[in-house]
Structures are given as structure tokens and as C-alpha cells.
Amino acid sequence: MVKTRFAPSPTGVLHIGSVRTALFCWLYARSKSGCFVLRIEDTDRERSTQKNVDAILDGLDWLGLHPDEGPFYQSDRLERYLEVIDQWLGDGHAYHCYCSKEELAALRAKQMENGEKTRYDGRCRSGTAPKEGVDPVVRFKNPISGEVIVEDQVRGRVAFRNEELDDLIIARSNGMPTYNFTVIVDDSDMDITHVIRGDDHLNNTPRQMNMLSALGATTPIYAHLPMILGQDGAKLSKRHGAVDVREYRQQGYLPEALLNYLVRLGWSHGDQEIFSINQMIELFDIDGINQSASAFNPEKSLWLNQQHIIAAPAEDLAKKLVTLFEKDDLNAENGPALVTVVEAFRERANTLSEMVHKCRYCYEDFDVIEPKAQKKHLRPVVLEPMRDVLEELSNLDKWTAESIDQAVKSIAARHNIGLGKLGQPMRVAVTGSSVSPPIDVTLYLVGRERTCKRIEQAIRLIAKRANAG
Ligand code: GLU
């Protein structure tokens, strides 16, 4: 059975790059009816925080990347790591190293002076007498010669010479096991078959493979994912946009849209751009992962978000809008049903928060009309037609988009003006700007009372302008 794992270190929040890794692990497990494990790598006690753990769990939950097993916490597994270290100290796969900081610094300096690669030279490898008052570190006895071949599923065959790999510290002097070591104990104990992770870990892989063989474990299949860069080609960071994936939720991204965007960063299936979650599961395979880095493109992510907004069931979006309304202090009870807003605005908004922003006038009066729109559209020529509009709309039998449409058409015909010539001033009067859904739909959503009040206000403004000459 395929078993993948996502193994974040809670030294930071869940960012876009990690989500893409999590997504690929999750998709691969789903597509092979396998198991997706979540493992929190929190052995770095100083830099790991509960807040980051919560951010990671919350982010994954929002995205729907639920683990089949876990979350496991490495901090719960210390005993097991210490057991392996003891075993290795006993059978010669590891040894105590008593070198002091000063000694290692001197070694380094000398190697640099000689133009050599700086590395631990294995001086404690064949046994050193304990030094008084020094708590030793434990080092893994890496093979001295030969090669480690990583048959990477993305990068192809990558060879590392053992002589390039020095003896890694697997337990610090305070006894705490270190990252590369805990990873292999867990990958082995958890029967991980596929390690899919960022290619910043590729250099760790030969060390991990050596340790896995010391453990007598089978080596998983590795797939190292190319980096995600900013559009300027630099490593993705805060200045390229949101760092914490939860910011995308706040901005009104749909989780499936963000996942769709991320799946295409480094993976392709022909030139298809839009994928539902089920399609991703059906079509995803490691073969489709690209070798080169890809750039995060905020415009494209917005476009994709809109495609998913257009495709999503209106009821689902309406539910999501409730939270965003609350966040914006907007009372959803104070206007049309959210489902109707979704229908009217989904083609006009890239995110749900943009939708909230755009439909605000349906729920709340605005303070001022955009000056430019006012100047251009609320002109004395429309004074009489607008008076008719007020009159007719106040007396409409039924407040529906159709009846509004009919009324507007007949008034325009009566005054012998084009529909747009009447629709635009109405729109400006009722929404405060010159852009909105079709005028009949807009008025219907705003409701009769607000519409008439706003048209009345506009008539007063136009009259004032007419009087001023
Ligand atoms: N904990 C590591 C990280 O957050 C990932 C380890 C791995 O995937 O092997 O970068």
C-alpha cells in the first residue's frame, strides 16, 4: 500500500510551498487508495511553537487535506529515538564524539586554509576516551567510500559520494535527537513508501538512505519537488504576497481553487488548467511533476479562484459569505438573500471578499457617490426621466427584476432616450458608482425602499445642479 507523509516543522506557519508539498503527498495517497500521514516534526524545542502547530492543523483542515493517520508528534517519540541511538552505539553504527566547539572551529579553519571542503574529519570515529565535564554528541558512522544513488522520481538518478558526507550528529550533547535521524526512524517505523518533499531536502537524502540501511529498513521512493519562486525569480517570501495559507481564506479564496492553483505549480496534465478535487485525484501522478521551478503568479491564482467561484453551488458560497460579512461588520439580514447576491456577483468578483465589498450597497447605505460618476451621469437632462423612475418604481405592483426592467424600458421610450442613458444615472444613484450587475437585477437586490430613497436623493442633487445653471 502506498503511504505518504507530510512532515512540517512547526517553526513557522503553513506557507504556500508547504501546502503544495502536502497536496502532492495527499493526492498521491488518494490516487493510489493509499494512506496519508501527518507528522509534526517538533524536535527543535526552541523554535517550535503550539501556535504554529495550530496554524498548520487549521490550514490543512481548511484545505481539506485530512490525514488518514496522525497527526503524530515527534516530541512524543523521544523514547523510540533514544532506543535506536543506544542500539547504534552498541552495534557500532554510531559513536560518541567529544570534540569541543573550539576544536571543531580549529579544524574548520585549517580546512579552509588548505582550500578543502569543511567537514568533520571523523577523529572520534574509532573511539575516544570520555572527556571529563564534556557531554558528547552522538554521530552516525557514515560509510567512508562508495556512492549513494538516489533514484529520484522527479530529478532522475542523482549520485552522492560517501566521502563527501561527513558523520552526522544524530543526538546533541543534551541528548536530543536531530532532524535527519528522527525523519528516518519515523519513515521506517511508519512504513512510508513514498517521500515527496521540497528539493531543499535532496542533499539530506543520501545521509538518510545510509541511516535507513543501518536501521535495516527499506528505502522509500523519493520525489523531490522543484521550488516555488516569486515572479521575480527570488525565493517565495512575504513580499510576494500572503505567507500564511490562512490569509487566503480571509481574502475569500476557495480552498479547491487554491489547491487547483498549487497543483499546477510544478505539475501538469496536458494544458488543462481547471481541475476539480476529484479530477486532481484521478489524474495526479508523479510522472507529471516538472523538473524546473515554477513562479507564483497572483493574477492567475485570482483568475482560477473566480473560475471555481463561478462553478461552485451558490448555497455553499452563501454559507461562506456569512463569515466574511461578519468580519466586515456587515449585517446579512439587512438585505437580499445571500444566494441571490452570489448569482448576481459571481462573474464580477475574483474572491469572496471582493464580492462582499462589491455588494455592500445592497445591505447598507453608502456615504458618498463617486464624484466622477456623479458628474458624468447625474446631469440635468435626466431630471425628468428620473422623476418618472421614482414615481413608477414606487408604484410597481411587484418588485421583481422583470417588472423593474419593463418600467425602465417604458420610461426610456417615453423620454426618447437610450436605455443606457437612463440606466447609468439610476445605477449611480442606487449604488454610488457606475459599475454593478444589470440595472434590473441591481435594483431588485437593493430593494424598493432603498432604491426609491436613493433615487430621491439623486433627484435632489440633479435639481440643485440644474438650479446652479
Ligand atoms: N520537517 C521538514 C520540513 O519542514 C520536512 C522533512 C521531510 O519532509 O523529510 O522542512
Side-chain angles (χ1 to χ4, degrees):
M1 182 177 74
V2 164
K3 212 168 175 191
T4 62
R5 86 305 195 270
F6 175 52
S9 304
T11 51
V13 294
L14 185 64
H15 58 81
I16 284 294
S18 317
V19 172
R20 203 251 332 235
T21 303
L23 172 64
F24 283 17
C25 294
W26 181 83
L27 281 177
Y28 194 63
R30 287 283 73 79
S31 70
K32 302 284 175 206
S33 307
C35 174
F36 171 62
V37 175
L38 175 59
R39 184 167 83 215
I40 305 289
E41 304 206 316
D42 56 352
T43 47
D44 184 345
R45 304 307 292 160
E46 272 128 55
R47 291 168 58 224
S48 302
T49 65
Q50 186 56 44
K51 216 167 142 212
N52 288 334
V53 172
D54 293 342
I56 292 168
L57 297 181
D58 186 29
L60 290 175
D61 192 56
W62 172 61
L63 292 162
L65 301 179
H66 305 298
D68 302 302
E69 282 183 15
F72 297 110
Y73 293 84
Q74 288 194 323
S75 54
D76 290 339
R77 292 179 36 82
L78 275 179
E79 230 173 281
R80 169 66 180 143
Y81 306 135
L82 299 182
E83 179 186 53
V84 177
I85 288 172
D86 270 352
Q87 190 185 316
W88 281 6
L89 282 170
D91 64 17
H93 282 303
Y95 60 93
H96 283 127
C97 167
Y98 288 89
C99 292
S100 64
K101 264 201 195 112
E102 294 71 30
E103 210 173 325
L104 293 174
L107 171 67
R108 217 181 134 79
K110 201 168 139 222
Q111 287 170 333
M112 280 171 47
E113 210 179 287
N114 296 344
E116 292 165 18
K117 197 176 159 197
T118 57
R119 58 203 293 276
Y120 178 66
D121 63 359
R123 56 182 63 183
C124 296
R125 200 173 154 110
S126 42
T128 327
K131 284 188 193 156
E132 193 138 345
V134 178
D135 289 324
V137 299
V138 178
R139 289 186 187 268
F140 173 65
K141 215 180 247 179
N142 197 75
I144 297 178
S145 57
E147 279 190 334
V148 186
I149 308 291
V150 183
E151 296 287 357
D152 191 88
Q153 299 297 296
V154 178
R155 306 278 293 246
R157 183 186 162 95
V158 192
F160 295 85
R161 294 211 324 271
N162 269 321
E163 60 189 60
E164 298 283 328
L165 310 171
D166 53 4
D167 289 349
L168 199 72
I169 296 178
I170 58 173
R172 292 182 224 285
S173 55
N174 63 6
M176 280 300 276
T178 58
Y179 159 70
N180 276 290
F181 171 72
T182 55
V183 164
I184 65 104
V185 175
D186 288 353
D187 283 346
S188 163
D189 285 1
M190 295 172 188
D191 297 318
I192 301 302
T193 60
H194 292 72
V195 169
I196 303 173
R197 60 184 172 194
D199 66 7
D200 47 335
H201 286 289
L202 181 62
N203 283 332
N204 290 325
T205 305
R207 301 172 183 283
Q208 294 186 2
M209 286 170 69
N210 281 336
M211 288 192 282
L212 282 163
S213 27
L215 203 61
T218 29
T219 309
I221 291 166
Y222 291 97
H224 287 93
L225 308 174
M227 300 263 281
I228 302 178
L229 305 174
Q231 277 187 302
D232 52 1
K235 195 171 170 225
L236 199 61
S237 72
K238 222 184 185 116
R239 73 197 155 84
H240 298 108
V243 174
D244 187 339
V245 69
R246 295 176 303 173
E247 286 172 48
Y248 289 89
R249 168 170 58 189
Q250 277 172 16
Q251 288 171 19
Y253 272 78
L254 302 186
E256 61 270 33
L258 191 61
L259 294 180
N260 184 167
Y261 181 66
L262 290 176
V263 83
R264 288 284 293 105
L265 277 186
W267 175 81
S268 51
H269 178 76
D271 46 19
Q272 183 171 343
E273 291 289 0
I274 302 173
F275 296 86
S276 67
I277 301 280
N278 283 338
Q279 281 173 326
M280 287 185 224
I281 294 173
E282 190 186 316
L283 299 171
F284 184 79
D285 207 343
I286 294 180
D287 293 348
I289 299 177
N290 314 327
Q291 289 211 14
S292 49
S294 30
F296 190 86
N297 177 341
E299 282 96 55
K300 191 170 164 199
S301 71
L302 283 170
W303 172 78
L304 258 179
N305 198 46
Q306 187 182 37
Q307 301 310 306
H308 281 268
I309 286 180
I310 291 170
E315 292 76 25
D316 292 358
L317 297 181
K319 274 190 211 133
K320 289 179 200 255
L321 279 184
V322 173
T323 330
L324 294 171
F325 265 59
E326 279 166 10
K327 205 185 104 221
D328 262 22
D329 273 336
L330 197 56
N331 186 352
E333 305 288 309
N334 232 344
L338 290 176
V339 177
T340 55
V341 162
V342 169
E343 304 282 16
F345 285 87
R346 60 163 118 208
E347 306 262 358
R348 304 171 166 265
N350 288 326
T351 66
L352 292 180
S353 21
E354 195 183 335
M355 198 183 281
V356 174
H357 178 73
K358 286 198 163 153
C359 74
R360 205 170 181 100
Y361 57 76
C362 300
Y363 295 86
E364 202 170 80
D365 287 337
F366 45 86
D367 294 333
V368 281
I369 296 177
E370 270 175 24
K372 256 201 194 145
Q374 177 171 340
K375 191 161 172 236
K376 184 160 176 213
H377 297 292
L378 299 187
R379 291 183 304 139
V381 280
V382 292
L383 187 57
E384 283 317 311
M386 285 290 269
R387 282 186 170 139
D388 269 12
V389 166
L390 179 61
E391 168 79 19
E392 290 216 12
L393 293 186
S394 317
N395 294 316
L396 267 190
D397 276 352
K398 272 193 296 180
W399 190 255
T400 61
E402 296 80 52
S403 57
I404 295 167
D405 180 54
Q406 270 172 19
V408 177
K409 277 186 182 144
S410 75
I411 298 165
R414 197 176 320 141
H415 288 269
N416 208 11
I417 50 175
L419 258 187
K421 285 268 180 308
L422 183 58
Q424 246 350 40
M426 290 173 67
R427 173 171 286 119
V428 172
V430 172
T431 71
S433 88
S434 51
V435 193
S436 84
I439 194 68
D440 51 346
V441 176
T442 304
L443 265 50
Y444 168 71
L445 289 175
V446 169
R448 189 195 310 250
E449 201 183 315
R450 280 194 180 112
T451 296
C452 291
K453 197 176 82 189
R454 291 175 193 174
I455 293 208
E456 224 176 310
Q457 270 166 1
I459 290 173
R460 276 201 297 275
L461 284 174
I462 301 171
K464 221 162 139 192
R465 199 165 156 184
N467 286 340

